[in-house]
Amino acid sequence: MTTLTIVVRYFAAARAAAGEEEEKVQLPSGSCVADAVAELRRLHPEELPRVLEAVSYLLDGIAVRDLTRPLKDGAELDVLPPFAGG
């Protein structure tokens, strides 16, 4: 089975829940954003799944609305919790 590796970057509450700022994640070739999210839930089962319910994602700097969007090797997936502003 061939794999691809993506870089996941966590921000704010997602960083706290994952316990790290960035990590490399290996997935089967042909994976999509939803597959990456499922793997993040598996890798960090304690607090991150709750945070992932309310986050948005950037894939290579572009907002992701469709979680079936395919991933390519070397992609960067940013996990962005809602930010309070004022």
Side-chain angles (χ1 to χ4, degrees), residues 3-7 25 27-33 59-60 69-77:
T3 62
L4 57 87
T5 302
I6 64 168
V7 175
V25 176
L27 298 161
S29 291
S31 291
C32 64
V33 174
L59 181 58
D60 294 328
R69 188 181 209 177
L71 297 169
K72 66 179 194 296
D73 191 52
E76 287 187 349
L77 183 66

Side-chain angles (χ1 to χ4, degrees), residues 4-79:
L4 57 87
T5 302
I6 64 168
V7 175
V8 179
R9 299 187 309 174
Y10 300 101
F11 294 86
R15 178 184 299 160
E20 55 195 331
E21 185 173 319
E22 179 178 298
E23 69 180 317
K24 290 185 177 180
V25 176
Q26 283 199 325
L27 298 161
S29 291
S31 291
C32 64
V33 174
D35 298 320
V37 172
E39 181 65 3
L40 298 179
R41 290 176 189 280
R42 188 189 71 74
L43 290 170
H44 304 283
E46 301 302 317
E47 295 179 34
L48 190 59
R50 178 184 54 79
V51 174
L52 291 177
E53 295 299 320
V55 301
S56 58
Y57 301 98
L58 296 179
L59 181 58
D60 294 328
I62 299 171
V64 174
R65 307 255 184 268
D66 178 5
L67 296 185
T68 65
R69 188 181 209 177
L71 297 169
K72 66 179 194 296
D73 191 52
E76 287 187 349
L77 183 66
D78 294 339
V79 181

